[in-house]
Amino acid sequence: MRNTKSTTIGLLLLSLFLFQYVLNLRWEWLFDLQQQEMFKRWSGFGLGLFILFQWLLTFSRVIKKFKKYSFKVTNLHKWIGAISPLFFYIHSMELGYGYLTLLAYVFLINTLIGYFNLDVIKSTNETLFKGWMIVHVAFSFIVTILLVFHVAVVFYYK
């Protein structure tokens, strides 16, 4: 039996995030913190580190001396990805405006795509795997580029 616990937890956290967003529910103490410049920067730093950390899986697969860690890094990648809506929620309860909305959508859609990995789909079809991987990595690149742009904008205008 394949392990899908990370997907279940991830879907629960993503659903809770979307539920609170649609119904405009919020913890006022956290929302107040999110309005403070230092909190935004530190929580954004944490979210950015999380996103950069997720790239370790790629390095563990393409750098020969790290391949022996690939299985462990894959499991860690799935679990960290599962709790990504929580990281996002701590940084912002909202989806933002303009490019921030795009960043939030691509981030959350990529998170959802990650939840439905081949352990969940239960397929050994190589074409499906390659297609899924291309989409997931492409969205990851977009998220990373938008993250760098966001950081540049934040520090340029503040």
Side-chain angles (χ1 to χ4, degrees):
M1 181 171 185
R2 296 181 184 197
N3 189 353
T4 59
K5 289 178 187 174
S6 61
T7 295
T8 303
I9 290 170
L11 286 171
L12 175 66
L13 290 172
L14 182 60
S15 297
L16 288 171
F17 176 84
L18 295 173
F19 181 75
Q20 71 80 33
Y21 178 75
V22 169
L23 296 179
N24 200 27
L25 303 172
R26 62 175 116 198
W27 288 341
E28 288 302 322
W29 64 270
L30 181 56
F31 183 76
D32 291 342
L33 276 175
Q34 291 172 344
Q35 306 314 303
Q36 297 174 19
E37 201 61 37
M38 286 308 288
F39 184 84
K40 282 191 230 181
R41 288 184 183 205
W42 283 108
S43 65
F45 180 73
L47 185 56
L49 280 179
F50 150 77
I51 291 169
L52 293 176
F53 179 82
Q54 290 296 74
W55 281 104
L56 283 180
L57 178 58
T58 300
F59 297 130
S60 76
R61 289 184 174 171
V62 299
I63 298 173
K64 191 174 183 175
K65 71 178 184 178
F66 296 127
K67 284 189 181 200
K68 60 185 172 188
Y69 303 110
S70 184
F71 182 75
K72 288 180 182 179
V73 173
T74 299
N75 285 331
L76 191 56
H77 180 86
K78 288 177 185 177
W79 279 104
I80 300 282
I83 61 172
S84 65
L86 189 57
F87 286 110
F88 191 90
Y89 182 77
I90 290 168
H91 181 61
S92 179
M93 294 178 195
E94 300 172 338
L95 299 180
Y97 302 97
Y99 79 91
L100 291 177
T101 304
L102 177 63
L103 173 56
Y105 284 167
V106 174
F107 177 83
L108 295 172
I109 289 168
N110 197 39
T111 298
L112 185 62
I113 290 168
Y115 294 155
F116 292 100
N117 55 65
L118 295 187
D119 287 343
V120 175
I121 296 171
K122 296 183 175 153
S123 174
T124 57
N125 183 313
E126 189 173 334
T127 304
L128 178 63
F129 172 73
K130 286 179 180 178
W132 176 87
M133 185 64 71
I134 288 168
V135 171
H136 188 56
V137 171
F139 273 56
S140 297
F141 269 113
I142 294 168
V143 166
T144 304
I145 290 166
L146 289 171
L147 165 70
V148 170
F149 180 74
H150 177 49
V151 169
V153 167
V154 164
F155 284 99
Y156 180 77
Y157 288 106
K158 299 287 177 179

